[in-house]
Each structure stands twice: as structure tokens, then as C-alpha cells.
Amino acid sequence: PRSIKRHYRAGRSICMSDVQLRHEPLRQVVAALKSVLGLAHQIGFACYLSPQQQGIPLHCDRHDVFILQIEGEKQWRYARTAATRFPVAATRPADPAAIEQFVAIHGRDRTRVPRERDLVRSVLRPGDLLYLPAGTFHATLAAEHSLSLTLGCTPRPVASIIGKAIERAFRDSPEWRRNPPPFRPSEPGAARALEQLLRGRM
């Protein structure tokens, strides 16, 4: 925290994650959202402080995000729709390889990466709120000083909830904690050996 002013004056944007852990009113907002809405998501606030002419190039996140502008202004450019529903990965800013990997993971025929000319442009001012669904490509730029608060809702897919429940149920069993024995799928009887291993644990 003591270095924030120095980095800000050097022209760097500052991101502070999970600020609700040290800020009681925000912690109460997170608790209320989870309680009232019954969300399984992991929810947390991040704070973004940007000096002039700073921002983040085009990318997309895996989580839904609500952006509240607190001070100054920030320009947002974003796609009209998410590139894919319930993405399993995000992309890094200004990284064509990350975008290519994102498309490959989610399927070329089902993934829509927006062209620059198709992006919507909005300028957020104090009190403005913007919602971007997970997988929506976006870019930001602060012409002058900007302070914003984002509420990120990271998904917890049903498969991960079930997987963690199984882990908890069997973590005291050495037979469940062990690695499967080594075998080559091409070996005769390999499939049957794996089936017997799993059947014994069922």
C-alpha cells in the first residue's frame, strides 16, 4: 500500500483485489448479495485507480462484472454480446495468442470475437454503472484520473461443486487419495483394470 502513490505518479494503473476483506461496508454488501440472491458465485470487489491516458487493451474475463464509476471518467469499449456463454477461460489483454486459444477452447463456430468497429463506446462518469456478462470483450481508457469499483461474480459450475463434495467425502481414505496405478491405454486389459479400480471405490 505504501507504494501506491509512487506507482500512480509514474503513470501506472493500480488494481486492488478483494477490497471487501478490509472494508466492512463492502463486506456486508457481498454477504447480502449471497444471502438474498442465493448465489453460488464467488463474489468480490476490486478497486481500479488510473492516471490519465491509462487503461486495459481488448480482452475478456471469465466472470460477470458490475462497474461503478466513483471519480473521474473512464471510456469503455465493449461487444454487444458475450463471445460465448459460460466461458471456461479468459484472455490476456492485447494478446492475440490468448484470444486464439480462447476461440479454440470454446469452438470456432460458437465463438464471436468482435471487430474493433463493432464495439460499443460508453464513457462512465461518477454514479454510472455498467454490467458486462462473462466472456464479453472490452477495453478501457481513462483520459484523466479515474477511480472505479468493480463487483466480480466468478462462477462455480455444478461440476466443480460436485467434485469438491466428493473430495471432502473421501479425503480421509488413503485409497481415494492415491494416484491411479500407471498403465498404457494400448496395453491388453488396461481398460478393464481401470474399470475394476473405479468399481472398487464406488
Side-chain angles (χ1 to χ4, degrees):
R2 288 175 293 184
S3 67
I4 288 177
K5 285 185 179 180
R6 174 167 55 84
H7 286 294
Y8 179 83
R9 288 169 182 157
R12 301 184 181 101
S13 288
I14 309 295
C15 174
M16 292 165 280
S17 301
D18 290 321
V19 293
Q20 77 278 359
L21 299 180
R22 298 293 185 95
H23 191 269
E24 181 60 22
L26 291 182
R27 190 197 66 75
Q28 291 178 9
V29 170
V30 168
L33 280 171
K34 290 182 74 69
S35 173
V36 173
L37 299 179
L39 296 178
H41 300 64
Q42 297 172 331
I43 302 175
F45 279 100
C47 187
Y48 287 85
L49 179 66
S50 299
Q52 61 182 1
Q53 299 304 313
Q54 286 295 312
I56 302 177
L58 191 69
H59 69 289
C60 76
D61 300 314
R62 185 174 167 249
H63 56 273
D64 297 331
V65 63
F66 296 84
I67 305 102
L68 176 63
Q69 191 68 24
I70 305 294
E71 295 178 359
E73 297 181 357
K74 182 174 279 188
Q75 175 183 278
W76 285 77
R77 290 177 297 120
Y78 52 90
R80 295 179 186 275
T81 59
T84 189
R85 297 179 64 217
F86 311 114
V88 297
T91 70
R92 293 182 297 274
D95 186 340
I99 293 177
E100 180 62 27
Q101 184 180 24
F102 179 88
V103 172
I105 290 173
H106 297 96
R108 296 188 181 283
D109 57 332
R110 301 185 303 273
T111 310
R112 300 178 299 278
V113 178
R115 295 170 295 187
E116 182 69 29
R117 67 172 182 265
D118 295 331
L119 297 175
V120 177
R121 179 184 173 276
S122 294
V123 176
L124 297 190
R125 298 178 176 84
D128 287 344
L129 182 71
L130 175 66
Y131 166 66
L132 294 179
T136 303
F137 277 87
H138 59 280
T140 65
L141 178 66
E144 300 292 340
H145 162 85
S146 169
L147 176 66
S148 59
L149 197 59
T150 68
L151 177 67
C153 301
T154 303
R156 291 181 63 203
V158 173
S160 73
I161 295 173
I162 293 172
K164 289 189 181 300
I166 292 173
E167 271 188 42
R168 286 194 303 270
F170 295 104
R171 64 185 166 198
D172 294 333
S173 169
E175 285 302 307
W176 271 94
R177 294 199 306 266
R178 65 165 288 182
N179 290 326
F183 71 93
R184 293 185 179 88
S186 59
E187 289 180 352
R192 181 168 177 75
L194 180 60
E195 181 181 339
Q196 287 177 344
L197 176 77
L198 295 175
R199 192 179 297 280
R201 279 152 185 74
M202 292 304 287

